[in-house]
Amino acid sequence: MRILSETLLSLVGVGKSFKEVNALTHVDLEIKSGQVIGLVGGNGAGKTTLLRLMAGVMEPSKGSINFQDKPVSSMRNKLGVVPESTGLYSRLTAWENIRYHSRIYGIDDEIAWNRVNHFANLLDITEALSRHTKGFSKGMRQKTALLRALAHGPDILLLDEPTAGLDVTSARTVRKLVGKLRDEGGTVIYSTHHLAEAQQVCDRIVIVHNGTIRADGSPEELLLATGQESLEEAYVSLTSDKARARSEDGKKESKLAKWWRRFLTGSTPDYKEVGEDE
Amino acid sequence: MSDSWRFISTIAKKEIIEFVRDWRTLIALIVIPLLIFPALFIALPLLLQSEAAELDAMELEVVWQGDVNDELNTSFAESNLIISYEEMPSGITNLSDIGNDLDRIRNQETQAVFRLLENESGWKFSVLYISTSEASSEARSRIIDAIIEWESGVVNGTLVEAGLDPESTLDPVTWDGNWEVSDAATKGEQAGLALSLFIPMVIAIWTASSAIQPSIDMTAGERERGTLEALLCLPCSRIQLLAGKWLAVASITSAGVALQIGGLLFAITYLASSSVIGIPSVSATSIALLLGAVVIFAIMVVAFELALAMKAHSVKEAGSLLGPAILFIIFPALFTQVINLDSIESWWFAVPLVNILLAMRELLLDRVIVEHVLVWMTSSIIYAGLAAWFAARQFKREDLVASIS
């Protein structure tokens, strides 16, 4: 049985650069067991990069990320990840997709099946497990990806915008699952654009903006720290500086590429700030 | 079962299952390789035979202009030619001058026009036809055959009249005995030579081309469909991921090549039963080395194609990279066919791609030359290692994840 509030994941002085772009700067975070943590931020804020670093699929340029004192990249078997794209194979059934991952985690098919069925009932997807995922709706895909991430019994579940593009009912089901996991003592890191959703689901909210952590605490703590009456106002006051352009790969268009693009498609007007000519 | 092997085999198994679930892939993987050689060696000759028989049975209309010769006339009639006679046209400079007959030959109102003229020095003739028409070419061919036969009779008659023996006069130098038994090479070795001229090329081109689609599907395809990120989050290393995908592509490609070779053996057996070609005689050592050469070649080509496909940001880009890359296989494959294997320098066996193709040719001739084997095996293992290293570099790139978003 896991001791409550044990530190599972710790990020110390983490920075991530893609060539000339600093995607994340000096991030310190401690993830304790039994918490549902919301990473909230706009497009290009650095949420996905932070999740990928925590998932161990990227190495930080600075600092360290440890799962219980060991580099997270060597402890990926303790994590369950649902990327934004869900990543299901359309020629496999939902169960085959789940089984593929659980076999790589070294989980016996029967154990995985029982575990999946437990959550599948909750997500109302049991009957779809034997169907090919080709015709699945976005909601079905998201639910399957969630089951896949849970099949091996991870210590931390990392969800990248799990309700993006889902209808109200599906989004509600996903949130219900996260609540159930919290009740069972699970740890979930939940990235979202929506503050209201984070407030509803998470015990702790981490506001990410322009690659830095702007605030970290419970909704009540955020209100107290900013002196605002609502979380929305608190968020706006914490992220009032202009959001940077999203450029994760840090690539600039070369002169040759620019010339070729213009040669093929004709030139487009160069970008100017409104009122720049005046 | 070790973790490493569990990762690799699970990835490979899933890739293969997913790949063969597409019926179009199954056709490309099983039906085409299996049928290509039987189609080429059995069905095509049968089709050609039936076409030739149909052409032989065809009655062809020929216009005969100028002088008539009874012997030739009889010979024409035996050749299924329907003759209509005309006067020699006026205004032509010589018998090959088509003149006013151009249109009716082009329009195929007649298959050919035969012109014959007797003068004091003998007979002169020409056949007017259109080479782009099979019926016209066939008519010309029958006329020429009949003329050769008639001319032979005329020549023999003249020689006999002059008191000479036609055979010793016209063919004074002759081969003694059966020329077929004077070849020291056995039927099996001759078959090996014939096969060595195209089997290496077919294996090389088929291996390279059949690996393209699965390579793209399992790399750039995964990136494009957004399935790669979830895969990279799993607790296996990138090298294990590469190994799993390599095993899948290599298995799919090997199945294709094996089926193709199976089809080839069936075709050879069929041809051997009709004495067209012998069964190639290749020793067990040569067969083992041949398989080794194919395996090393597959390691190299599949790793290289996986690396190139992983370098691409989309399926389209991967196709644009790998399509032209096939030329690097086709050109050496064609080039290798013309290299003389007798007294070949050993350094040829160190040239990338050419070495494996030359090795296959030599082994099909059942020539196991230790120096050559050492050179091609060592150099090929190095090239395969380099290709695997290049592929590993591509799979370790961090932007594999970042560029998906």
Side-chain angles (χ1 to χ4, degrees):
Chain A
M1 189 177 174
R2 197 186 298 137
I3 303 161
L4 197 65
S5 296
E6 173 197 10
T7 299
L8 291 179
L9 201 62
S10 60
L11 291 82
V12 181
V14 170
K16 182 65 189 173
S17 308
F18 297 101
K19 293 188 179 166
E20 290 156 18
V21 178
N22 284 325
L24 284 174
T25 314
H26 203 83
V27 173
D28 290 313
L29 270 180
E30 205 165 75
I31 310 294
K32 291 182 184 295
S33 63
Q35 285 186 327
V36 176
I37 299 133
L39 294 180
V40 182
N43 288 327
K47 302 187 302 294
T48 298
T49 303
L50 187 55
L51 273 178
R52 283 171 179 166
L53 287 166
M54 289 196 274
V57 287
M58 278 183 176
E59 288 294 324
S61 311
K62 283 179 191 163
S64 62
I65 306 177
N66 288 326
F67 183 95
Q68 292 177 328
D69 300 328
K70 286 180 185 162
V72 71
S73 53
S74 65
M75 301 294 284
R76 289 205 298 258
N77 56 336
K78 301 285 184 188
L79 310 174
V81 185
V82 179
E84 196 180 345
S85 55
T86 67
L88 297 181
Y89 298 97
S90 58
R91 285 184 216 135
L92 300 185
T93 63
W95 165 241
E96 283 171 337
N97 267 285
I98 296 163
R99 193 182 57 186
Y100 173 42
H101 278 218
S102 66
R103 279 182 179 175
I104 289 182
Y105 280 107
I107 304 295
D108 185 74
D109 286 353
E110 201 180 327
I111 294 171
W113 175 252
N114 290 335
R115 197 173 163 79
V116 162
N117 262 297
H118 169 67
F119 291 109
N121 285 328
L122 203 73
L123 291 170
D124 194 23
I125 194 179
T126 312
E127 283 177 14
L129 288 175
S130 57
R131 277 169 44 200
H132 283 96
T133 60
K134 195 174 183 179
F136 273 18
S137 65
K138 170 85 179 159
M140 298 271 276
R141 298 181 73 80
Q142 196 66 43
K143 287 173 187 175
T144 310
L146 273 165
L147 292 178
R148 188 184 61 189
L150 289 166
H152 64 286
D155 285 358
I156 303 181
L157 185 65
L158 298 161
L159 309 177
D160 194 1
E161 305 198 12
T163 56
L166 299 194
D167 58 58
V168 177
T169 316
S170 297
R172 193 182 156 89
T173 313
V174 169
R175 284 196 293 269
K176 210 169 119 188
L177 175 77
V178 173
K180 166 98 174 158
L181 289 170
R182 180 180 46 200
D183 296 345
E184 290 177 359
T187 310
V188 181
I189 301 176
Y190 191 106
S191 134
T192 179
H193 283 107
H194 306 294
L195 204 54
E197 186 178 32
Q199 192 174 4
Q200 194 183 343
V201 176
C202 308
D203 313 308
R204 180 178 156 196
I205 293 174
V206 176
I207 294 180
V208 187
H209 187 68
N210 285 353
T212 56
I213 303 289
R214 295 296 171 92
D216 179 3
S218 66
E220 296 75 26
E221 285 169 341
L222 294 188
L223 291 176
L224 201 66
T226 54
Q228 303 291 335
E229 287 184 359
S230 73
L231 264 186
E232 192 173 299
E233 283 164 4
Y235 178 84
V236 171
S237 70
L238 288 163
T239 60
S240 55
D241 52 320
K242 190 182 164 192
R244 65 189 175 180
R246 181 175 177 152
S247 177
E248 211 173 50
D249 61 7
K251 280 181 186 168
K252 282 184 180 171
E253 190 179 28
S254 69
K255 280 186 178 176
L256 181 66
K258 192 173 180 180
W259 173 84
W260 183 240
R261 175 173 57 78
R262 288 186 166 184
F263 175 75
L264 290 174
T265 59
S267 60
T268 48
D270 285 332
Y271 172 77
K272 283 176 186 170
E273 289 283 355
V274 176
E276 199 176 283
D277 291 337
E278 281 78 36
Chain B
M1 186 162 61
S2 75
D3 276 355
S4 241
W5 176 243
R6 192 185 74 237
F7 294 146
I8 294 167
S9 60
T10 306
I11 293 166
K13 211 184 287 177
K14 173 257 154 193
E15 296 292 1
I16 293 169
I17 289 170
E18 204 198 4
F19 201 75
V20 299
R21 278 200 180 159
D22 183 7
W23 64 268
R24 285 159 292 203
T25 308
L26 278 181
I27 290 176
L29 263 178
I30 294 174
V31 182
I32 293 174
L34 195 63
L35 294 184
I36 192 165
F37 279 118
L40 210 62
F41 289 167
I42 301 171
L44 186 65
L46 285 176
L47 179 72
L48 291 175
Q49 266 177 19
S50 100
E51 284 295 305
E54 198 179 305
L55 207 60
D56 275 348
M58 207 183 271
E59 286 190 331
L60 301 168
E61 290 177 13
V62 171
V63 172
W64 184 322
Q65 295 176 343
D67 298 329
V68 176
N69 178 285
D70 288 339
E71 270 179 72
L72 201 53
N73 205 358
T74 312
S75 190
F76 278 7
E78 286 166 2
S79 305
N80 242 356
L81 294 173
I82 301 165
I83 309 292
S84 54
Y85 300 94
E86 287 178 5
E87 291 293 316
M88 185 68 78
S90 56
I92 54 172
T93 52
N94 57 57
L95 298 187
S96 299
D97 181 354
I98 295 184
N100 295 330
D101 289 318
L102 181 69
D103 285 343
R104 65 170 164 170
I105 292 173
R106 288 189 68 84
N107 298 336
Q108 296 194 44
E109 289 164 26
T110 178
Q111 265 77 50
V113 173
F114 173 60
R115 288 175 180 166
L116 186 69
L117 197 64
E118 187 179 15
N119 59 19
E120 56 278 4
S121 62
W123 296 91
K124 286 187 184 301
F125 79 100
S126 78
V127 184
L128 311 179
Y129 78 116
I130 179 160
S131 61
T132 49
S133 155
E134 273 188 55
S136 184
S137 294
E138 175 65 16
R140 176 183 184 270
S141 171
R142 289 186 201 174
I143 293 168
I144 298 286
D145 286 347
I147 286 173
I148 289 169
E149 196 186 323
W150 172 56
E151 186 187 30
S152 174
V154 172
V155 169
N156 287 353
T158 309
L159 288 172
V160 171
E161 267 179 33
L164 295 168
D165 173 35
E167 200 172 327
S168 60
T169 308
L170 294 175
D171 197 10
V173 181
T174 53
W175 186 288
D176 187 34
N178 182 358
W179 64 270
E180 282 180 330
V181 297
S182 61
D183 186 356
T186 63
K187 278 265 184 194
E189 286 165 343
Q190 289 170 28
L193 174 67
L195 296 180
S196 75
L197 292 174
F198 67 92
I199 282 193
M201 191 166 73
V202 168
I203 288 178
I205 293 173
W206 186 262
T207 305
S209 57
S210 63
I212 287 181
Q213 205 211 334
S215 295
I216 292 176
D217 189 66
M218 291 176 202
T219 52
E222 286 237 34
R223 293 183 77 180
E224 203 168 270
R225 292 189 296 270
T227 49
L228 191 62
E229 187 176 357
L231 199 54
L232 295 175
C233 292
L234 295 174
C236 55
S237 71
R238 303 270 178 110
I239 298 299
Q240 286 160 343
L241 181 63
L242 166 67
K245 285 179 179 288
W246 176 86
L247 186 60
V249 181
S251 305
I252 291 165
T253 306
S254 304
V257 172
L259 288 168
Q260 203 174 37
I261 291 174
L264 177 66
L265 293 176
F266 172 76
I268 288 171
T269 313
Y270 175 82
L271 293 176
S273 68
S274 12
S275 304
V276 177
I277 192 172
I279 299 285
S281 55
V282 185
S283 67
T285 313
S286 292
I287 290 172
L289 287 168
L290 196 63
L291 287 174
V294 175
V295 168
I296 297 170
F297 180 75
I299 291 174
M300 183 175 69
V301 171
V302 171
F304 186 66
E305 290 186 359
L306 275 173
L308 276 187
M310 195 48 122
K311 208 173 164 55
H313 292 86
S314 64
V315 169
K316 190 177 167 189
E317 192 182 320
S320 306
L321 274 172
L322 284 176
I326 280 293
L327 293 176
F328 289 100
I329 307 282
I330 293 176
F331 281 128
L334 291 172
F335 182 61
T336 309
Q337 303 310 305
V338 296
I339 296 175
N340 182 8
L341 284 179
D342 297 327
S343 67
I344 186 171
E345 295 90 344
S346 292
W347 61 263
W348 277 108
F349 289 87
V351 179
L353 292 172
V354 171
N355 56 354
I356 287 282
L357 294 158
L358 283 174
M360 285 195 259
R361 272 190 65 193
E362 229 178 39
L363 293 167
L364 279 164
L365 289 169
D366 208 17
R367 293 182 191 174
V368 182
I369 300 163
V370 177
E371 189 187 338
H372 292 174
V373 171
L374 286 175
V375 174
W376 69 254
M377 204 176 262
T378 313
S379 58
S380 300
I381 289 171
I382 291 170
Y383 298 138
L386 284 172
W389 170 79
F390 178 55
R393 268 178 65 100
Q394 297 309 317
F395 269 68
K396 281 182 175 173
R397 274 174 31 222
E398 196 169 54
D399 70 325
L400 287 190
V401 190
S403 59
I404 300 166
S405 63

